[in-house]
Amino acid sequence: MSQTDLEIVVDDPTAPEEDSPSVVSSGTIEIIVCLLLLALAVTLGYDNWRTGAAWDATGPEPGYFPFYLSIILGGGSLYGLVAALGAHRAARETFVTRAQARRVMAVFVPTLLFCLTMQFLGLYVASFLLISGFMRFVGKIALWKSLLTAFVFTAIMFVTFDVAFDVIMPKGPLEAAFSR
Protein backbone atom coordinates (compact mmCIF):
# COMPACT_ATOMS: atom_id res chain seq x y z
CA MET A 1 0.00 0.00 0.00
CA SER A 2 1.45 3.36 -0.95
CA GLN A 3 1.58 6.42 1.27
CA THR A 4 -1.08 8.18 -0.81
CA ASP A 5 -3.61 5.41 -0.16
CA LEU A 6 -3.49 5.81 3.60
CA GLU A 7 -6.39 7.56 5.22
CA ILE A 8 -6.23 8.65 8.80
CA VAL A 9 -9.57 9.01 10.52
CA VAL A 10 -9.69 10.79 13.84
CA ASP A 11 -12.93 10.89 15.77
CA ASP A 12 -13.67 14.10 17.62
CA PRO A 13 -15.09 13.21 21.03
CA THR A 14 -16.54 16.69 21.35
CA ALA A 15 -18.26 16.64 17.94
CA PRO A 16 -21.97 17.47 18.02
CA GLU A 17 -24.41 14.58 18.02
CA GLU A 18 -25.85 13.54 14.67
CA ASP A 19 -29.40 13.35 16.03
CA SER A 20 -29.45 16.82 17.61
CA PRO A 21 -32.74 18.66 16.95
CA SER A 22 -32.83 21.55 14.50
CA VAL A 23 -32.86 25.07 15.92
CA VAL A 24 -33.62 26.92 12.70
CA SER A 25 -33.92 26.13 9.00
CA SER A 26 -31.76 27.56 6.21
CA GLY A 27 -34.78 29.24 4.63
CA THR A 28 -35.58 31.13 7.82
CA ILE A 29 -31.99 32.36 8.10
CA GLU A 30 -32.04 33.47 4.45
CA ILE A 31 -35.21 35.48 5.06
CA ILE A 32 -33.80 37.08 8.24
CA VAL A 33 -30.52 38.02 6.51
CA CYS A 34 -32.35 39.51 3.52
CA LEU A 35 -34.58 41.57 5.85
CA LEU A 36 -31.55 42.81 7.81
CA LEU A 37 -29.73 43.76 4.59
CA LEU A 38 -32.87 45.49 3.32
CA ALA A 39 -33.11 47.47 6.57
CA LEU A 40 -29.43 48.42 6.22
CA ALA A 41 -30.00 49.49 2.60
CA VAL A 42 -32.98 51.66 3.59
CA THR A 43 -31.05 53.25 6.45
CA LEU A 44 -28.00 53.96 4.29
CA GLY A 45 -30.17 55.18 1.42
CA TYR A 46 -32.05 57.61 3.64
CA ASP A 47 -28.89 58.92 5.29
CA ASN A 48 -27.09 59.42 1.98
CA TRP A 49 -30.16 61.04 0.44
CA ARG A 50 -30.30 63.39 3.42
CA THR A 51 -26.58 64.18 2.99
CA GLY A 52 -27.06 64.86 -0.69
CA ALA A 53 -27.44 62.29 -3.43
CA ALA A 54 -27.69 64.58 -6.41
CA TRP A 55 -25.30 66.15 -8.88
CA ASP A 56 -24.60 69.84 -8.34
CA ALA A 57 -22.44 72.40 -10.17
CA THR A 58 -19.21 71.08 -8.64
CA GLY A 59 -19.97 67.39 -9.25
CA PRO A 60 -21.53 64.65 -7.15
CA GLU A 61 -22.71 65.49 -3.67
CA PRO A 62 -21.26 63.45 -0.75
CA GLY A 63 -24.06 60.88 -0.70
CA TYR A 64 -24.32 60.34 -4.46
CA PHE A 65 -22.38 57.10 -4.90
CA PRO A 66 -23.29 55.55 -1.52
CA PHE A 67 -26.96 56.28 -2.23
CA TYR A 68 -26.90 54.31 -5.46
CA LEU A 69 -24.92 51.51 -3.82
CA SER A 70 -27.64 51.29 -1.16
CA ILE A 71 -30.25 51.06 -3.93
CA ILE A 72 -28.30 48.14 -5.45
CA LEU A 73 -28.04 46.51 -2.00
CA GLY A 74 -31.78 47.00 -1.47
CA GLY A 75 -32.59 45.51 -4.87
CA GLY A 76 -30.39 42.50 -4.19
CA SER A 77 -32.00 42.08 -0.78
CA LEU A 78 -35.50 42.19 -2.27
CA TYR A 79 -34.51 39.64 -4.92
CA GLY A 80 -33.03 37.37 -2.25
CA LEU A 81 -36.11 37.80 -0.07
CA VAL A 82 -38.49 36.84 -2.89
CA ALA A 83 -36.30 33.86 -3.83
CA ALA A 84 -36.04 32.74 -0.18
CA LEU A 85 -39.80 33.07 0.36
CA GLY A 86 -40.45 31.02 -2.79
CA ALA A 87 -37.99 28.31 -1.80
CA HIS A 88 -38.93 28.38 1.90
CA ARG A 89 -42.12 26.45 1.27
CA ALA A 90 -40.35 23.77 -0.78
CA ALA A 91 -37.57 22.47 1.50
CA ARG A 92 -36.81 22.71 5.20
CA GLU A 93 -33.07 22.12 5.32
CA THR A 94 -31.49 22.45 8.77
CA PHE A 95 -29.23 25.48 9.18
CA VAL A 96 -27.99 24.69 12.67
CA THR A 97 -28.74 22.01 15.23
CA ARG A 98 -28.93 22.54 18.97
CA ALA A 99 -25.54 20.88 19.52
CA GLN A 100 -23.91 23.00 16.80
CA ALA A 101 -25.44 26.18 18.24
CA ARG A 102 -24.07 25.23 21.67
CA ARG A 103 -20.56 24.95 20.19
CA VAL A 104 -20.90 28.30 18.42
CA MET A 105 -22.10 29.95 21.63
CA ALA A 106 -19.11 28.48 23.46
CA VAL A 107 -16.98 30.74 21.27
CA PHE A 108 -19.34 33.68 20.75
CA VAL A 109 -20.22 34.39 24.39
CA PRO A 110 -16.60 34.56 25.65
CA THR A 111 -15.66 36.73 22.65
CA LEU A 112 -18.53 39.10 23.41
CA LEU A 113 -17.47 39.19 27.07
CA PHE A 114 -13.90 39.92 25.90
CA CYS A 115 -15.14 42.96 23.96
CA LEU A 116 -17.10 44.21 26.97
CA THR A 117 -14.29 43.46 29.44
CA MET A 118 -11.76 45.26 27.26
CA GLN A 119 -13.67 48.51 27.79
CA PHE A 120 -13.03 48.36 31.53
CA LEU A 121 -9.87 46.28 32.03
CA GLY A 122 -8.03 47.12 28.81
CA LEU A 123 -6.81 44.99 25.93
CA TYR A 124 -4.07 43.06 27.66
CA VAL A 125 -5.93 41.92 30.78
CA ALA A 126 -8.99 41.04 28.70
CA SER A 127 -6.75 39.10 26.27
CA PHE A 128 -5.15 37.23 29.16
CA LEU A 129 -8.57 36.24 30.49
CA LEU A 130 -9.85 35.22 27.05
CA ILE A 131 -6.83 33.11 26.11
CA SER A 132 -6.52 31.39 29.46
CA GLY A 133 -10.28 30.82 29.63
CA PHE A 134 -10.46 29.32 26.14
CA MET A 135 -7.48 27.08 26.74
CA ARG A 136 -8.81 25.89 30.10
CA PHE A 137 -12.54 25.50 29.48
CA VAL A 138 -12.84 24.89 25.75
CA GLY A 139 -9.50 23.19 25.11
CA LYS A 140 -9.42 21.33 28.47
CA ILE A 141 -5.72 22.22 28.81
CA ALA A 142 -3.99 22.15 32.20
CA LEU A 143 -4.39 25.30 34.27
CA TRP A 144 -0.67 26.06 34.50
CA LYS A 145 -0.24 25.72 30.72
CA SER A 146 -3.24 27.96 30.10
CA LEU A 147 -2.02 30.66 32.45
CA LEU A 148 1.58 30.49 31.19
CA THR A 149 0.57 30.65 27.52
CA ALA A 150 -1.85 33.52 28.13
CA PHE A 151 0.79 35.42 30.12
CA VAL A 152 3.52 34.94 27.48
CA PHE A 153 1.20 35.89 24.62
CA THR A 154 -0.12 38.94 26.45
CA ALA A 155 3.41 40.04 27.40
CA ILE A 156 4.54 39.71 23.78
CA MET A 157 1.52 41.76 22.66
CA PHE A 158 2.32 44.42 25.26
CA VAL A 159 5.98 44.67 24.28
CA THR A 160 5.16 44.66 20.56
CA PHE A 161 2.39 47.23 20.56
CA ASP A 162 3.04 49.39 23.59
CA VAL A 163 6.84 49.43 23.76
CA ALA A 164 8.22 48.69 20.29
CA PHE A 165 5.66 50.38 18.05
CA ASP A 166 4.13 52.80 20.58
CA VAL A 167 0.61 52.06 19.35
CA ILE A 168 -2.24 53.45 21.41
CA MET A 169 -4.29 50.50 22.69
CA PRO A 170 -7.25 50.41 25.08
CA LYS A 171 -5.73 50.43 28.55
CA GLY A 172 -7.21 49.47 31.86
CA PRO A 173 -5.88 50.33 35.31
CA LEU A 174 -3.20 47.61 35.25
CA GLU A 175 -1.75 48.51 31.84
CA ALA A 176 -1.77 52.22 32.65
CA ALA A 177 0.54 51.49 35.58
CA PHE A 178 3.12 49.78 33.34
CA SER A 179 3.04 52.00 30.25
CA ARG A 180 5.05 55.11 29.61
Side-chain angles (χ1 to χ4, degrees):
M1 182 182 271
S2 71
Q3 283 295 98
T4 58
D5 293 337
L6 292 177
E7 181 180 346
I8 298 173
V9 178
V10 178
D11 289 331
D12 182 4
T14 62
E17 309 89 48
E18 293 294 326
D19 60 344
S20 181
S22 175
V23 174
V24 66
S25 70
S26 293
T28 303
I29 292 296
E30 289 175 10
I31 291 169
I32 290 170
V33 168
C34 287
L35 288 172
L36 288 172
L37 287 174
L38 184 60
L40 177 66
V42 168
T43 303
L44 292 174
Y46 171 74
D47 188 53
N48 288 301
W49 174 76
R50 187 183 52 78
T51 305
W55 198 276
D56 64 7
T58 61
E61 291 180 333
Y64 182 80
F65 293 110
F67 176 76
Y68 288 104
L69 288 175
S70 64
I71 287 177
I72 293 170
L73 177 62
S77 301
L78 285 173
Y79 175 79
L81 184 61
V82 169
L85 286 171
H88 187 65
R89 293 184 182 95
R92 296 197 46 88
E93 184 179 328
T94 298
F95 179 75
V96 66
T97 64
R98 185 172 294 141
Q100 291 169 334
R102 193 176 311 117
R103 289 181 71 153
V104 169
M105 287 297 136
V107 174
F108 176 73
V109 171
T111 305
L112 178 66
L113 291 174
F114 165 74
C115 294
L116 295 173
T117 304
M118 186 172 43
Q119 303 302 313
F120 303 104
L121 298 179
L123 175 68
Y124 305 112
V125 173
S127 295
F128 176 83
L129 294 173
L130 179 74
I131 294 166
S132 60
F134 262 113
M135 289 181 71
R136 183 71 182 134
F137 298 112
V138 177
K140 308 280 191 264
I141 296 173
L143 180 62
W144 72 270
K145 290 179 184 177
S146 302
L147 294 175
L148 180 64
T149 303
F151 178 77
V152 168
F153 180 78
T154 306
I156 291 170
M157 275 181 28
F158 179 77
V159 169
T160 302
F161 293 123
D162 208 69
V163 177
F165 293 118
D166 199 24
V167 177
I168 298 172
M169 298 300 237
K171 291 191 176 22
L174 185 60
E175 293 102 336
F178 287 117
S179 61
R180 293 181 266 152

